[in-house]
Amino acid sequence: MTSQVSRTTEQADGTVVGEQRKPGGVKAVRRLDRVIIRFAGDSGDGMQLTGDRFTSETASFGNDLSTLPNFPAEIRAPAGTLPGVSSFQLHFADHDILTPGDAPNVLVAMNPAALKANIGDLPRGAEIIVNTDEFTKRAMQKVGYDTSPLEDGSLDGYSLHPVPLTTLTVEALKEFDLSRKEAERSKNMFALGLLSWMYHRPTEGTERFLQQKFARSPEVMKANLAAFRAGWNFGETTEDFAVSYEIAPATTAFPVGTYRNISGNLALAYGLVTASRQAELPLFLGSYPITPASDILHELSKHKNFGVRTFQAEDEIAGIGAALGAAFGGSLAVTTTSGPGVALKAETVGLAVSLELPLLVVDIQRGGPSTGLPTKTEQADLLQAMFGRNGEAPVPVIAPRTPADCFDAALEAARIALTYRTPVMLLSDGYLANGSEPWRIPELEELPDLRVQFASGPNHTLDDGTEVFWPYKRDPQTLARPWAVPGTSGLEHRIGGIEKQDGTGNISYDPANHDFMVRTRQAKIDGIDVPDIEVDDPDGAHTLVLGWGSTYGPITAAVRRLRAAGEPIAQAHLRHLNPFPRNLGAVLKGYDKVVIPEMNLGQLATLIRAKYLVDAHSYNQVNGMPFKAEQLATALKEAIDD
């Protein structure tokens, strides 16, 4: 039995490293507690698929993880150009993590454009794996390289691994009846195999995936499997990679349960299906495809067996119109869109407010204004969700904080809509929609009971003793009106956008009645039962950082860094943005400083200042990317010291 030598060090960033060196030429294995990998190449190089497969195997291995896909808006951006670079970043660890990471430890660059677009994000000493076959003179000149960065010394501060990925892939597939161009398409699988070897990722899931994906093209399936295995074998045999890495499962990061990797849009779709089952109502989605919300339409269309009906409309207005009609007919009705679509849907949202029917309006926010940055993220639709309708048309607004939390946010949105008979705005964003993390599949007994009672008969007695149905006679606790399914005998009533008379629902132009109805609709929203906001403040801090939506991960990571450095800081995060939690005012007044980081120009801060007269300080970013933890930690430290 051979002996082995072990040593342990700690890197400058705090990452604990262990190393086992085995005699006899066997490669060393280094233990890490976390790593950040970024795959980058042309939008046609399959970087999103490569990253997704690496993520799936990492999830099955039991690591905690967080991802950041980043791709152009064009279906096929110009090859070899900086705007055409597509990347996928994955942060995985043996402990609880919150973000995709600030800076990659490893960059896989498939061409010169991918290297140039991403080199600025890499810390010195990071590993760079480059596909040398693509570093031709023309390709380098296209992105502004006068000399080869692989040879001019500009990468001396990094651990460079030049690998002819294309050549190796073509060589590995020479036995297959494929043209060179067809063989080259599998180079992403070669890279995936190499990285799977480097980080001891399972391979069975990827092989099953390839067998299923290309089942109708056996030659292509065999070629991709061969390329994947060749990449693994190359890592095992080449002298250029002397060390592989192990990141143990995050056994202490998760409560006991069954987990799967899930993206925000998939979690949201599952949450909507679950809500419909818990409400015992059919689910209807009226939607028009728009980035980054389209995945929800695609997913829900697969679940007809759960009573889901999806309608792809000819435009945004038709989509929400159909959904509102489905709500009138007794369905759990949903419409999905992004910021531009919310603008188009505004009139129908106002109609839903007037009709007081349950409707979920899901806004997967993206960079704006107008078409803006379709594939990038932003939080700039908050004020539109709050006020973007004519007249006094209040709606509840809620926002998930992580990809997995999109499931629970969908259930909460459905609870509010069904209980209070109101449209609800659910504000996710591109970062959550496309990002992924482990999700604990809930047990059935943990799910809320969302069942509702439809009106079944008269609910009011006139002075002469006649029993009638009043469509706007309200529940005294929730102020919700009864929900009457069309066709129910004796429950016929008028609907439409013109103001209703209290109780009877008849058309009314009476000034006093309009004032009463406006105030009543507002009181219904103000009275929605939402949990108090929880404050994380173990040290009695004087500064509170308040966030909402997808800023949760970067804020929490920044707070952890500050506390580890001995800085006291408190944190609170909002899910309910309208109405605010009832204790929010008291919480805010308990701190000398309140800092609100947002991916907009200060929309929540504007609301907080107006409602609570608190001098909240904004920290804003609108570059289409999520905050970095180190960036936020620096800003919050300055706020503490100011």
Side-chain angles (χ1 to χ4, degrees):
M1 182 176 180
T2 59
S3 61
Q4 61 185 31
V5 179
S6 300
R7 67 183 174 87
T8 300
T9 63
E10 184 168 335
Q11 295 179 336
D13 62 1
T15 303
V16 177
V17 178
E19 185 168 302
Q20 296 178 337
R21 293 191 178 275
K22 301 178 180 180
V26 180
K27 294 185 177 182
V29 177
R30 185 173 299 167
R31 294 190 305 274
L32 306 176
D33 71 348
R34 64 183 179 90
V35 72
I36 303 166
I37 299 174
R38 183 181 296 176
F39 299 92
D42 272 336
S43 57
D45 283 340
M47 294 297 92
Q48 303 304 317
L49 174 62
T50 305
D52 183 69
R53 289 313 315 157
F54 196 93
T55 299
S56 295
E57 297 295 4
T58 297
S60 69
F61 188 72
N63 295 118
D64 195 10
L65 62 90
S66 181
T67 69
L68 178 62
N70 186 14
F71 43 88
E74 292 81 8
I75 294 174
R76 184 67 173 92
T81 65
L82 294 176
V85 173
S86 174
S87 67
F88 189 105
Q89 183 164 307
L90 167 67
H91 182 191
F92 60 103
D94 65 1
H95 58 277
D96 175 36
I97 57 174
L98 298 156
T99 75
D102 288 357
N105 308 116
V106 181
L107 171 66
V108 180
M110 303 297 281
N111 60 19
L115 177 65
K116 187 160 190 177
N118 293 281
I119 190 67
D121 293 337
L122 268 64
R124 306 299 283 182
E127 291 194 79
I128 304 175
I129 301 171
V130 294
N131 179 14
T132 56
D133 289 324
E134 295 297 322
F135 279 73
T136 64
K137 184 176 181 180
R138 183 173 181 273
M140 289 187 289
Q141 288 177 342
K142 191 181 290 189
V143 295
Y145 280 130
D146 297 325
T147 60
S148 173
L150 309 184
E151 301 171 355
D152 63 8
S154 60
L155 301 179
D156 287 350
Y158 305 95
S159 177
L160 181 65
H161 301 279
V163 180
L165 287 172
T166 306
T167 299
L168 290 170
T169 302
V170 171
E171 179 66 20
L173 303 185
K174 62 183 180 181
E175 64 182 86
F176 297 95
D177 186 22
L178 299 172
S179 67
R180 180 178 176 86
K181 186 175 182 180
E182 290 172 329
E184 287 178 0
R185 292 174 182 165
S186 297
K187 63 181 180 289
N188 64 324
M189 287 297 105
F190 189 100
L192 178 60
L194 172 58
L195 269 292
S196 297
W197 172 82
M198 282 183 66
Y199 290 96
H200 295 245
R201 298 297 91 185
T203 60
E204 295 81 3
T206 295
E207 295 199 358
R208 282 195 304 270
F209 169 82
L210 293 173
Q211 290 165 354
Q212 294 169 3
K213 182 176 178 63
F214 299 110
R216 296 184 180 180
S217 304
E219 195 74 2
V220 175
M221 180 260 290
K222 292 176 183 176
N224 276 281
L225 283 171
F228 177 67
R229 292 164 181 165
W232 177 282
N233 293 333
F234 177 77
E236 183 71 28
T237 58
T238 183
E239 295 298 319
D240 193 41
F241 294 92
V243 178
S244 63
Y245 303 91
E246 284 185 351
I247 296 91
T251 54
T252 61
F254 308 120
V256 175
T258 302
Y259 288 80
R260 59 155 294 165
N261 181 49
I262 200 164
S263 68
N265 273 353
L266 183 58
L268 212 158
Y270 285 175
L272 293 172
V273 175
T274 303
S276 75
R277 303 296 288 180
Q278 293 302 106
E280 298 182 354
L281 297 174
L283 177 66
F284 180 90
L285 173 68
S287 183
Y288 179 75
I290 184 171
T291 302
S294 299
D295 288 342
I296 303 172
L297 169 62
H298 300 160
E299 182 61 34
L300 289 180
S301 68
K302 303 174 184 177
H303 297 293
K304 294 179 181 178
N305 56 315
F306 287 116
V308 178
R309 294 295 177 266
T310 53
F311 169 58
Q312 181 174 320
E314 68 270 21
D315 56 47
E316 295 281 5
I317 298 172
I320 190 173
L324 184 56
F328 178 59
S331 293
L332 176 59
V334 185
T335 188
T336 52
T337 188
S338 190
V342 173
L344 293 167
K345 296 177 188 291
E347 183 180 5
T348 309
V349 175
L351 177 59
V353 170
S354 175
L355 297 180
E356 301 190 43
L357 287 170
L359 174 67
L360 305 187
V361 182
V362 178
D363 177 6
I364 313 298
Q365 300 167 96
R366 71 189 204 187
S370 187
T371 309
L373 305 174
T375 61
K376 310 303 180 184
T377 196
E378 209 165 89
Q379 288 182 298
D381 294 349
L382 175 56
L383 295 183
Q384 180 179 218
M386 288 286 293
F387 306 118
R389 294 162 295 282
N390 67 294
E392 296 288 347
V395 299
V397 181
I398 69 171
R401 63 186 189 178
T402 69
D405 188 48
C406 289
F407 177 87
D408 295 318
L411 288 170
E412 175 66 356
R415 177 191 73 85
I416 293 173
L418 294 171
T419 303
Y420 296 91
R421 311 285 197 269
T422 177
V424 177
M425 299 287 298
L426 193 160
L427 298 182
S428 179
D429 61 45
Y431 171 40
L432 297 184
N434 297 316
S436 60
E437 66 175 351
W439 170 57
R440 188 180 73 84
I441 302 172
E443 302 294 335
L444 285 176
E445 57 270 18
E446 298 172 358
L447 299 172
D449 184 353
L450 300 178
R451 289 174 293 182
V452 297
Q453 293 293 322
F454 291 111
S456 58
N459 62 355
H460 184 74
T461 304
L462 300 176
D463 292 341
D464 63 2
T466 304
E467 292 187 338
V468 295
F469 174 66
W470 274 15
Y472 282 82
K473 184 170 184 176
R474 302 177 183 279
D475 181 298
Q477 297 298 318
T478 64
L479 298 183
R481 78 175 186 90
W483 194 2
V485 176
T488 305
S489 179
L491 304 190
E492 299 84 2
H493 60 283
R494 180 180 286 107
I495 63 170
I498 297 177
E499 184 63 281
K500 319 295 187 301
Q501 183 181 37
D502 178 44
T504 67
N506 295 328
I507 291 175
S508 174
Y509 295 100
D510 177 63
N513 178 78
H514 177 60
D515 183 272
F516 177 81
M517 292 294 278
V518 167
R519 294 179 186 276
T520 300
R521 287 189 289 261
Q522 183 65 59
K524 180 173 70 170
I525 303 306
D526 292 341
I528 291 173
D529 181 26
V530 303
D532 283 348
I533 191 169
E534 297 181 359
V535 182
D536 177 19
D537 184 4
D539 303 311
H542 296 284
T543 300
L544 170 72
V545 55
L546 178 68
W548 70 278
S550 67
T551 57
Y552 173 78
I555 288 174
T556 306
V559 166
R560 288 182 179 178
R561 293 189 185 198
L562 289 172
R563 289 177 181 169
E567 298 287 348
I569 188 167
Q571 178 187 1
H573 207 79
L574 287 166
R575 162 172 282 177
H576 297 87
L577 298 156
N578 192 34
F580 286 131
R582 287 171 174 76
N583 69 329
L584 180 57
V587 166
L588 296 173
K589 288 180 171 57
Y591 291 89
D592 297 337
K593 297 176 186 174
V594 177
V595 183
I596 304 179
E598 298 180 78
M599 292 186 292
N600 57 48
L601 295 183
Q603 296 189 15
L604 175 61
T606 297
L607 296 175
I608 292 295
R609 292 185 190 116
K611 185 172 180 65
Y612 299 108
L613 302 180
V614 170
D615 185 21
H617 300 271
S618 286
Y619 183 74
N620 308 116
Q621 172 179 295
V622 281
N623 61 7
M625 298 295 289
F627 284 112
K628 293 181 178 179
E630 184 63 31
Q631 165 194 4
L632 275 182
T634 300
L636 295 176
K637 177 65 166 62
E638 292 174 355
I640 293 171
D641 294 341
D642 186 11

